[in-house]
Amino acid sequence: QWGRAMQDDITDGVNYLIDKGIVNKDKIAIYGASYGGYATLSGITKTPDLYACAIDYVGVSNLFTFMKTIPPYWEPLLEMMYEMVGDPEKDKEIMKECSPVYNVDKIKTPLFIAQGANDPRVNKAESDQMVEALRKNGVNVDYMVKYDEGHGFHNEENRFDFYRAMERFLEKYI
């Protein structure tokens, strides 16, 4: 249920916090890494008015390319992945509908994307496509690429750079 029921749960949670007066509806950010980065991108395509800004850290933007990069040691879990994400052959329409890269025209939320250039799970080309399309649509996108990183930043200085940039981004938009 990537991009569907799972995303609806996140939206329901945010709306609950708004309805209860726990959060300021004009100062909500969404942030996540890997699947959480996907949920961030999906959130700003499905509910673009809900978030003041968004941060995607090594997040999936294209469900088709994500499924193509399933490593061999995940093969025993492939059927489960098809159930969770979709089968690229049988679920083409759903996967396209739920892939943020095919829905960039719906995004208007300021976005910060952080990507490792050597990421085997979320290919840098996915983030490049998102950034290019969003900038073409006039959406404010900050983009950080660390050329010595993969799926997440492991170098301490790179993490510091990321968190400092994230802090500046959040100060600007919330």
Side-chain angles (χ1 to χ4, degrees), residues 14-35:
V14 172
N15 284 326
Y16 174 84
L17 295 171
I18 292 169
D19 292 345
K20 294 292 181 187
I22 296 170
V23 298
N24 178 338
K25 69 177 180 62
D26 298 322
K27 293 190 175 267
I28 299 172
I30 185 170
Y31 160 66
S34 196
Y35 166 79

Side-chain angles (χ1 to χ4, degrees), residues 60-70 121 123 126:
V60 174
S61 64
N62 185 325
L63 296 179
F64 294 103
T65 55
F66 171 71
M67 292 303 286
K68 285 180 187 171
T69 63
I70 297 292
R121 298 296 309 127
N123 190 290
E126 286 192 42

